[in-house]
C-alpha cells in the first residue's frame, strides 16, 4: 500500500493572544500517523482531543509547530505548494451553511475549480459529474438555503469533489443532521471511496459510522490511543471506556453479557451480527 | 414564513427581457432612465412613456406587480407633484392666499410624477426579469475597467454574492432567536418605539455573535477551496451577447434619437 498522508512526530499548539497564559498546552503531542491511498479511515476521540486540529494539518491550513506533514510526498510547510496540497486534500466542515458561498447550487460547486483557474467548459463538466456523484444533479439550479441539511452537506461535498482531490477529510459532517441526512451523507462517502477510490478521512462521534471504515484511529489528548481495524479497536472496550469513549451498542451489549459469564468468542460490530450471535446462544 | 422569502423580485419567465444579456439590460435601462430626465416637451415624454409601456408589456410580468412596486413611493409621488403644482411661475390660474397654481406648475407636476413612475417601472422591469446573481455577475463584468483605478471590482462582487447568499440564512436565524427570546418572556410587540428598539437588543447581540462566527468559518472554508482573490480566477458561467441584445440596442438607439430630435425641434414646456 502506498502512503498518501504522512504525519511525522507532529506537535501543535495554538498561538494564544492572551499573554497571561504562560503555559502553552500542546493540542497535538508528538503524533505520527500514516494514511494510505484509497483507505477509509475514521478518527474518533472525545471533545477537545485535537481531531479538528489534526484535520487542518492535512490540507496545510495549519502547519505543525514541530514535526512534519507530507501529503503525496509534498511537505505542507512549503508555502508555494499550499494550493497544490489543497486541491489534493479537500476539507468538508461540520456546518454546511457556513461553507456554501454562492446562492445557486451549481455555482457553489463551481467555486473551487474557478479559483484554480480551470477553463469554463472543463468546470461545467466537473460540476455536472460532481453533482451526479452526490446525487444532487436535479437540484443544480436550486437555492442552497431551501435544501435540507443532508442535501446541503452533499452540495458541500460536491464542491470539494469538483476540485478532483485524491483525498477528502470530513470533520463531523453529520453532526448537525437528522438520521436521514446522516444516512445520505454516509452513503455518499462510502460510494466515493469504493467507486472513485478517493481516500476518506472521516472524523465522527458516531460509532455506527466508524464501524463502516476500513480502519479506526482513536485520539486522546493529542495522541493516538488506538489504531487498527474496527473489530480490533472496538475489542478494547475497557480502554475506550476509561477514556470516556463509546463503543457500538452491539459491542457494548455483548461485552456486558461476556462479563456476566456468557460464552462469546467474537465481538459483534453491527446490530445484525449481534442478532446472529444471540440466536446462536439462545438455541 | 421567513423560509419563503425570495430575494430581489425575480419573476421567472421566458420573455425577450428574460433572454437578454444582463449587461446589455443594465446599460439600456440606465440609458432610458437618463433620457426620462431629459424630456422637455410632451412629445419627448410621450415617446418615453410609450417605450415603458412596451417594456412592461414585453416583460411577461403581470402589470399588477409593477403597480405594487409603485406602492412604496406613492407618498413621495403625491407629495412632490402637489408641491410642484404650486411651484411654477407665470400667470396664476387659481389662487388662494399665498398659494397659486400656474400652467407651468401643472406641467411640472405632470412631468415629475410621470418621470418617477417611469423610473420605478424601468428599474422594476430589470429586477423582475433578472436573477440577483446574474445582476451581480453583470455588474462585476461591467465595472471591470475600474480595476485600472485600483478599485478591486472582484472583491465588491464577492461581497455582494456572499451577502445574497447569507441574507436568507441570517433572516432565518433572526426568526429563531426572536422565538427563543419570546419563549424566555421577552416582549417585542408592545410599547412605544424606544421600548421596542430596546427589546431588539437581546436579538441583535446573539445575531452579531453568530454572524461573526459564520464569517470566520466561511473564510476558512473558502481558503480550503483555494480562494485567493480575483487573480487567475475563471468563471463557469460565460455571458454572451445574442441577436436579441442587438435588436434591443437598436430599438433604444432609435428611441433616444427620437427624444433628442423632439427636444431640439419642438417647443419646450419644461426647463
Ligand atoms: N482557535 C483556537 N485557539 C486556541 N485553542 C483552540 C482553538 N481551537 C481549538 N482549541 C483547543 O484545542 C483543543 C483541541 O481542539 P479541537 O477542536 O482540535 O478538538 P476536537 O477533537 O475537534 O473536538 P470536538 O470533538 O469538540 O470537535 C481544545 O482543547 C480546544 O480548546
Ligand atoms: Mg472538532
Amino acid at each position: 500500500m502506498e502512503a498518501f498522508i504522512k504525519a511525522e512526530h507532529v506537535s501543535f499548539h495554538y498561538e494564544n493572544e492572551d499573554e497571561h497564559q504562560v503555559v502553552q498546552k500542546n493540542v497535538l503531542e508528538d503524533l505520527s500517523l500514516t494514511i494510505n491511498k484509497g483507505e477509509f479511515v475514521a478518527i474518533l476521540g472525545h471533545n477537545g482531543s485535537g481531531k479538528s486540529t489534526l484535520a487542518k494539518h492535512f490540507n496545510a491550513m495549519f502547519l505543525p509547530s514541530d514535526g512534519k506533514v507530507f501529503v503525496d510526498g509534498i511537505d505542507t510547510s512549503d508555502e508555494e505548494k499550499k494550493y497544490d496540497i489543497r486541491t489534493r486534500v479537500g476539507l468538508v466542515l461540520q456546518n454546511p451553511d457556513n461553507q456554501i458561498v454562492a446562492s445557486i447550487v451549481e455555482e457553489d460547486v463551481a467555486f473551487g475549480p474557478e479559483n484554480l483557474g480551470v477553463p469554463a467548459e472543463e468546470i461545467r463538466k466537473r460540476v455536472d459529474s460532481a453533482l451526479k456523484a452526490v446525487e444532487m444533479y436535479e437540484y443544480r439550479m436550486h437555492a442552497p438555503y431551501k435544501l435540507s441539511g443532508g442535501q446541503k452537506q452533499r452540495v458541500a461535498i460536491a464542491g470539494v469533489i469538483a476540485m478532483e482531490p485524491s483525498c477528502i477529510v470530513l470533520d463531523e459532517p453529520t453532526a448537525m443532521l437528522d438520521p436521514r441526512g446522516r444516512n445520505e451523507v454516509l452513503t455518499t462517502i462510502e460510494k466515493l471511496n469504493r467507486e472513485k477510490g478517493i481516500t476518506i478521512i472521516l472524523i465522527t462521534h458516531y460509532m455506527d459510522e466508524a464501524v463502516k471504515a476500513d480502519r479506526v484511529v482513536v485520539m486522546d489528548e493529542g495522541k493516538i490511543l488506538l489504531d487498527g481495524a474496527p473489530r480490533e479497536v472496538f475489542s478494547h472496550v475497557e480502554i475506550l471506556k476509561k477514556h470516556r469513549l463509546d463503543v457500538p451498542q452491539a459491542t457494548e451489549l455483548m461485552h456486558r453479557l461476556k462479563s456476566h459469564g456468557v460464552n462469546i468468542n467474537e465481538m459483534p460490530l453491527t446490530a445484525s451480527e449481534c442478532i446472529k450471535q444471540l440466536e446462536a446462544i439462545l438455541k | 414564513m421567513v423560509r419563503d422569502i425570495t430575494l430581489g423580485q425575480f419573476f421567472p419567465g421566458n420573455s425577450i427581457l428574460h433572454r437578454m444579456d444582463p449587461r446589455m439590460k443594465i446599460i439600456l435601462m440606465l440609458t432610458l432612465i437618463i433620457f426620462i430626465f431629459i424630456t422637455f416637451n410632451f412629445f419627448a415624454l410621450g415617446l418615453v412613456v410609450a417605450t415603458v409601456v412596451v417594456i412592461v408589456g414585453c416583460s411577461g410580468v403581470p402589470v399588477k406587480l409593477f403597480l405594487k412596486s409603485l406602492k412604496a413611493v406613492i407618498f413621495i409621488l403625491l407629495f412632490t407633484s402637489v408641491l410642484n403644482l404650486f411651484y411654477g411661475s407665470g400667470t396664476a390660474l387659481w389662487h388662494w392666499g399665498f398659494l397659486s397654481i400656474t400652467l407651468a406648475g401643472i406641467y411640472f407636476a405632470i412631468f415629475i410624477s410621470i418621470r418617477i413612475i417611469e423610473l420605478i417601472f424601468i428599474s422594476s422591469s430589470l429586477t423582475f426579469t433578472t436573477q440577483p446573481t446574474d445582476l451581480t455577475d453583470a455588474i462585476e463584468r461591467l465595472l471591470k475597467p475600474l480595476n485600472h483605478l485600483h478599485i478591486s471590482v472582484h472583491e465588491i462582487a464577492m461581497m455582494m454574492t456572499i451577502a445574497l447568499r447569507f441574507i436568507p440564512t441570517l433572516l432565518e436565524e433572526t426568526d429563531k432567536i426572536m422565538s427563543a427570546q419570546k419563549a424566555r418572556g421577552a416582549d417585542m410587540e408592545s410599547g412605544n418605539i424606544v421600548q421596542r428598539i430596546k427589546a431588539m437588543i437581546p436579538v441583535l447581540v446573539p445575531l452579531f455573535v453568530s454572524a461573526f462566527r459564520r464569517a470566520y468559518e466561511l473564510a476558512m472554508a473558502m481558503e480550503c477551496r483555494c480562494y485567493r482573490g480575483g487573480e487567475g480566477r475563471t468563471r463557469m458561467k460565460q455571458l454572451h451577447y445574442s441577436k436579441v441584445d442587438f435588436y434591443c440596442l437598436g430599438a433604444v438607439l432609435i428611441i433616444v434619437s427620437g427624444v433628442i430630435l423632439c427636444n431640439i425641434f419642438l417647443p419646450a414646456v419644461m426647463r
Side-chain angles (χ1 to χ4, degrees), chain A residues 56 59 61 83 86 97-104 107-108 111 114-115 117-118 120 145 163, chain B residues 3 5 133 158 165-166 168 214 217-218 220 223-228 232-238:
Chain A
K56 283 169 193 149
N59 74 340
M61 285 300 289
Y83 295 107
R86 287 188 196 155
D97 264 329
N98 299 348
Q99 338 174 36
I100 293 176
V101 184
S103 7
I104 295 176
E107 280 181 21
D108 184 74
F111 181 75
E114 285 178 344
N115 289 334
V118 175
Y145 75 95
M163 300 176 71
Chain B
R3 281 191 81 90
I5 54 143
T133 46
M158 187 49 86
R165 155 72 186 80
F166 276 88
R214 281 181 194 281
E217 271 184 35
L218 181 71
M220 172 88 89
E223 254 187 87
C224 287
R225 288 165 78 183
C226 294
Y227 180 70
R228 51 200 133 160
R233 200 173 133 79
T234 48
R235 301 302 305 271
M236 173 173 73
K237 210 181 196 173
Q238 303 290 318

Side-chain angles (χ1 to χ4, degrees), chain A residues 14-16 25 27 45-54 171-172 203 205, chain B residues 216:
Chain A
Y14 283 95
E15 296 297 337
N16 254 322
K25 206 183 125 254
V27 175
H46 62 78
N47 294 101
S49 55
K51 305 181 296 292
S52 302
T53 312
L54 180 64
D171 190 354
E172 299 187 37
I203 296 174
H205 279 292
Chain B
Y216 173 79

Side-chain angles (χ1 to χ4, degrees), chain A residues 51-195:
Chain A
K51 305 181 296 292
S52 302
T53 312
L54 180 64
K56 283 169 193 149
H57 276 80
F58 292 154
N59 74 340
M61 285 300 289
F62 288 172
L63 297 178
S65 319
D66 229 336
K68 289 245 173 254
V69 177
F70 295 95
V71 172
D72 213 1
I74 309 168
D75 186 343
T76 57
S77 62
D78 188 345
E79 182 67 23
E80 284 182 1
K81 295 278 174 67
K82 191 164 80 179
Y83 295 107
D84 256 2
I85 291 170
R86 287 188 196 155
T87 46
R88 275 161 225 241
V89 181
L91 183 59
V92 176
L93 304 170
Q94 185 179 45
N95 189 342
D97 264 329
N98 299 348
Q99 338 174 36
I100 293 176
V101 184
S103 7
I104 295 176
V105 165
E106 65 168 21
E107 280 181 21
D108 184 74
V109 177
F111 181 75
E114 285 178 344
N115 289 334
L116 298 175
V118 175
E121 316 85 68
E122 168 73 15
I123 301 182
R124 183 78 253 172
K125 266 187 230 149
R126 288 194 188 189
V127 167
D128 288 348
S129 90
L131 281 171
K132 280 175 189 153
V134 299
E135 284 166 28
M136 285 296 287
Y137 186 69
E138 303 85 74
Y139 292 88
R140 63 191 179 284
M141 297 305 287
H142 283 228
Y145 75 95
K146 283 186 179 155
L147 302 177
S148 75
Q151 291 173 327
K152 278 188 229 175
Q153 197 61 285
R154 281 189 285 154
V155 170
I157 294 174
V160 167
I161 297 174
M163 300 176 71
E164 303 191 334
S166 341
C167 171
I168 302 179
V169 182
L170 303 104
D171 190 354
E172 299 187 37
T174 57
M176 307 187 81
L177 308 182
D178 56 10
R180 192 161 141 219
R182 275 180 54 196
N183 221 335
E184 289 170 11
V185 170
L186 212 70
T187 316
T188 307
I189 296 172
E190 285 188 275
K191 203 178 105 192
L192 289 175
N193 178 249
R194 221 156 287 142
E195 290 172 13

Side-chain angles (χ1 to χ4, degrees), chain B residues 74-101:
Chain B
I74 196 87
F75 180 73
I76 300 176
L77 190 67
L78 286 176
F79 185 74
T80 44
S81 44
V82 168
L83 206 69
N84 274 293
L85 205 54
F86 299 107
Y87 179 65
S89 54
T91 46
L93 297 175
W94 177 85
H95 62 103
W96 180 73
F98 64 93
L99 296 174
S100 61
I101 294 178

